[in-house]
Amino acid sequence: MSNHFTGLSLGPPLGDQRLDLCDLYAFQSPTDPARTVIILNANPNADALHPDAIYRLNIDNDGDLLTDIAISYVFSKPQNGKQMFNVFLAKGAESRSVEAVGKKIVADAEVSFGPKPNIVEAGEYKFFAGSRSDAFFFDFDGIKALFDIRGKRNFTEPHLATLGGKSPWTGVDSNTEANVFSTVIELPTSELAPKPVVHIWGRCSVRQDGKLLHVDRAGHPSVSSFFNTDDTKLEYNASEPVNDRKRWLDQFVHLMGHTGNYTREEAIAAIDKEGTLPDVMTFNPSKPAKYPNGRVFTDDVIDYRLAFLTKKECPPSGLKPHSDILKEFPFIGTPHQKKS
């Protein structure tokens, strides 16, 4: 997550950028603190999403890491530069179906590819789907300087001489003119029924040969980017949060031993403090949103993750958040115009 980069050899799911989940955000609406905004970004090319895929927000509100509310987005086949989207809302046991099930609350709304957002209201829910300015900021060249990126480990072996020595950072934000495809929902927080928290994770599934394959997931920012390998990415992306700790704890602990000289006990304590596993975003709407309580556009999630991995040995990058965030729905900025 924040996995615009998943290592140089970890490309998009099935080699298709449309299936690539980039970022997940959750925060109180700036215009009404009694409402929650959840944004799931995909496809760093910011063009149409996959017509055979389901893009889903899973919400657990009772702590069992099973879906209690599912919000599923499905998209039509693009035609003549246009694409339509539908949204389904399912609750309870029905929400655990892998299909886009439940009540259709948005029917054939138009995706926005230009600067003016098409905002769709359905009762007390508000929706948007389309191209927007990417709020994620990071120094990609600095990250490449910090980590040994050879082989299948990707961003998992720091150049130890870099830590405590010359800063790897270039001071250049690699994402200042990037767009992304955003799905944005704003709804009454009471609809989420937090007790007092909710766990949120994104899922992208695509139908191949009649079967629905789970090909990407989104929870904590930058976890997939740094903890995954070529050998594990397919299994990781298909796995469910309820199984995360049992399946992935040893791999995470092993990695943190390399990146930050953590002992096993220290690594588990750090994982438990953040709630890294299960890989879901935790949000308590009664407290200000700031990662790891939800996530807002100003959170420097790369600095956070690198401090986590290196036991605070990695210096901050010094980058500033993007300044084109909107004060009203859909909040994420107007898309950059493509240069001819």
Side-chain angles (χ1 to χ4, degrees):
M1 268 302 296
S2 293
N3 62 347
H4 300 62
F5 58 98
T6 39
L8 296 190
S9 56
L10 283 176
L14 306 181
D16 192 330
Q17 295 277 18
R18 295 174 299 174
L19 304 174
D20 190 6
L21 299 182
C22 300
D23 287 288
L24 177 66
Y25 298 90
F27 51 88
Q28 297 90 350
S29 170
T31 58
D32 186 345
R35 294 170 66 84
T36 292
V37 178
I38 305 174
I39 298 175
L40 181 63
N41 288 343
N43 189 359
N45 288 337
D47 51 13
L49 291 192
H50 201 300
D52 295 321
I54 299 170
Y55 300 82
R56 183 198 302 273
L57 288 172
N58 296 280
I59 299 162
D60 159 42
N61 59 18
D62 59 13
D64 63 1
L65 299 175
L66 299 176
T67 307
D68 297 304
I69 303 170
I71 300 163
S72 300
Y73 297 81
V74 294
F75 294 83
S76 69
K77 186 176 180 179
Q79 290 184 320
N80 302 319
K82 292 186 176 182
Q83 188 173 38
M84 313 304 284
F85 73 99
N86 296 291
V87 183
F88 297 83
L89 173 66
K91 296 184 178 181
E94 185 181 34
S95 69
R96 291 160 202 164
S97 168
V98 296
E99 299 288 346
V101 296
K103 181 181 179 182
K104 183 186 286 189
I105 55 176
V106 173
D108 297 323
E110 188 169 342
V111 167
S112 302
F113 291 116
K116 184 178 180 180
N118 178 33
I119 298 170
V120 182
E121 298 194 33
E124 292 194 90
Y125 289 67
K126 194 178 289 188
F127 293 94
F128 166 85
S131 176
R132 303 304 286 171
S133 170
D134 194 350
F136 176 57
F137 53 100
F138 72 122
D139 181 345
F140 191 40
D141 288 334
I143 291 170
K144 289 189 289 184
L146 177 64
F147 283 91
D148 184 346
I149 53 178
R150 295 171 296 179
K152 294 185 176 182
R153 295 302 302 175
N154 299 288
F155 297 108
T156 55
E157 291 284 0
H159 290 301
L160 297 179
T162 302
L163 297 179
K166 182 181 178 182
S167 172
W169 303 119
T170 69
V172 177
D173 182 352
S174 306
N175 230 30
T176 53
E177 296 184 2
N179 291 329
V180 73
F181 194 109
S182 294
T183 58
V184 186
I185 178 175
E186 182 185 301
L187 72 165
T189 303
S190 59
E191 288 285 297
L192 300 175
K195 301 182 181 67
V197 305
V198 290
H199 298 119
I200 307 168
W201 65 100
R203 168 74 76 196
C204 179
S205 308
V206 66
R207 201 174 305 281
Q208 283 195 339
D209 300 323
K211 294 182 178 180
L212 202 60
L213 306 177
H214 294 330
V215 295
D216 207 359
R217 59 188 288 199
H220 286 288
S222 307
V223 161
S224 181
S225 306
F226 290 105
F227 286 92
N228 249 321
T229 71
D230 280 351
D231 293 333
T232 62
K233 68 172 184 176
L234 293 177
E235 181 187 355
Y236 189 87
N237 287 335
S239 58
E240 296 293 342
V242 70
N243 301 318
D244 276 354
R245 192 174 179 89
K246 180 178 180 180
R247 173 61 184 90
W248 302 110
L249 180 64
D250 286 344
Q251 177 170 314
F252 281 33
V253 168
H254 177 78
L255 167 70
M256 292 166 68
H258 284 285
T259 61
N261 292 317
Y262 283 88
T263 66
R264 179 176 178 83
E265 291 73 22
E266 287 172 337
I268 291 174
I271 288 168
D272 289 346
K273 182 179 180 180
E274 181 194 36
T276 321
L277 289 172
D279 186 5
V280 297
M281 182 169 287
T282 299
F283 181 47
N284 182 342
S286 69
K287 297 181 178 181
K290 179 178 174 61
Y291 184 75
N293 182 48
R295 181 183 172 191
V296 294
F297 301 126
T298 54
D299 288 328
D300 192 332
V301 294
I302 295 299
D303 277 2
Y304 180 100
R305 184 60 55 211
L306 292 177
F308 179 88
L309 285 169
T310 64
K311 210 186 294 183
K312 299 184 179 179
E313 286 292 316
C314 184
S317 67
L319 294 183
K320 301 297 183 183
H322 294 175
S323 59
D324 58 353
I325 301 307
L326 305 180
K327 295 181 179 180
E328 64 282 336
F329 191 90
F331 305 109
I332 193 162
T334 301
H336 302 279
Q337 297 300 308
K338 292 182 179 181
K339 295 180 180 179
S340 55

